[in-house]
Amino acid sequence: MHETYSQIILPFASSPELFEQYTNASGGLRTGMLMEHLDSLAGSIAYKHMLGPSVETLGRVQERGFYIVTASVERLDMLAPLYPVRDIRLSGQVIYAGKSSMEVAVKMEALNPNRGEETLMLGRFSMVCRDARTHKARPVNPLIIDTPEEEVLYKMGESSKNRRQYAALQALSRVPPSSDEAADLHATYLKYGQEDESLVRSDRVWMGDTLLEKTMLMFPQERNVHQKVFGGYLMRLAHELGFANACFFMRSHVTFHSLDGISFTQPVPIGSILRLRSQILHTSPPGGLPATVHVRVVAGVVNVQTGHEETTNDFRFTWAGDDGKSTPRIIVPKTYQESMLWLEGKRALEMGAQIRGNRIRALEGEQ
């Protein structure tokens, strides 16, 4: 397991030239660009597991006989602020290997000369191996476990995979909401969902009115080794669109809390027209602090001849308001489909708060 470990050092504090390439309008770091690096790192680690630590270049995919793609990103949780700007280390390793898939755990750390290292972000990527000729699943190398610490990591990766499979079975696209979720949804309808034109509701926003989108042409400069658009680049585009939508809704600057999940269903071809649609799914309750907002971004490739659009990615993010105020407005669904998305957002906010709390307490216990 330890042979798959890899790291990248980004010397932002000591290299003004590098910092200039990553700085945002507030003088901090662009989170989306760091996510792009993490996706690239996870892919490199997966190839390192398959090829061995001594191989330095991938070579041609057809000659290797296989290729690796990102199947999903389970979570990326921000545990500490990126500011003040410091040198950053991105690291990761394979912690679990199944038949044709691998779980890659990644970490982002700030390197403080006087105070040591500080964990900023933790996350997990699910990578799958495919045969270069048939594009079917290909077995991956087994993971060798040498220490009790690696055994703990392996069980963590196995648990992550099992939890993801269980969550897929419990998805609202498969089973109905629980009685408690149905009651919450109905209570929201009774309080906010009445379409009485005589009532002016400044605190209500219909989910359908939060749509924000952009359309882009995919250029070859953003291609990966498979001659498709690099997944990390798509992650950055989705993050930036979702950030803008969260700011519009919260009416303030927002801070990234978590990437709650990404599904990669289809590759995005070079030269295609990509449409990104962002929508607010849920918010923290009125009066609740911190004020959080859950955002969905869906990416799709548009066929210019037919106008048909095929979904390629589904991104879920959570941001929190920076102004210290509670959520100014509440999201209200109109249709049954929007109601299911509303409940998905509710689940994501509740789970994210629990996971971040557990991870922060665990890190504090290590100090």
Side-chain angles (χ1 to χ4, degrees), residues 13 15 63 112 145 152 176-177 181 191 230 248 255:
S15 174
E63 294 175 355
N112 301 302
I145 301 171
V152 171
E181 290 175 328
K191 187 173 182 179
F230 173 46
F248 285 150
T255 297

Side-chain angles (χ1 to χ4, degrees), residues 234 262-266 268 274 297-300 311-315:
L234 299 174
I262 303 178
S263 61
F264 293 85
T265 56
Q266 295 288 338
V268 176
L274 184 76
V297 180
V298 177
T311 298
T312 59
N313 309 88
D314 192 330
F315 306 83

Side-chain angles (χ1 to χ4, degrees), residues 77 79 122 163 350-366:
D77 288 288
L79 306 178
L122 292 173
R163 184 169 57 250
E350 293 171 348
M351 179 179 294
Q354 179 181 357
I355 290 175
R356 280 189 300 276
N358 291 339
R359 287 182 169 177
I360 291 173
R361 285 190 292 272
L363 290 172
E364 290 174 346
E366 294 175 359

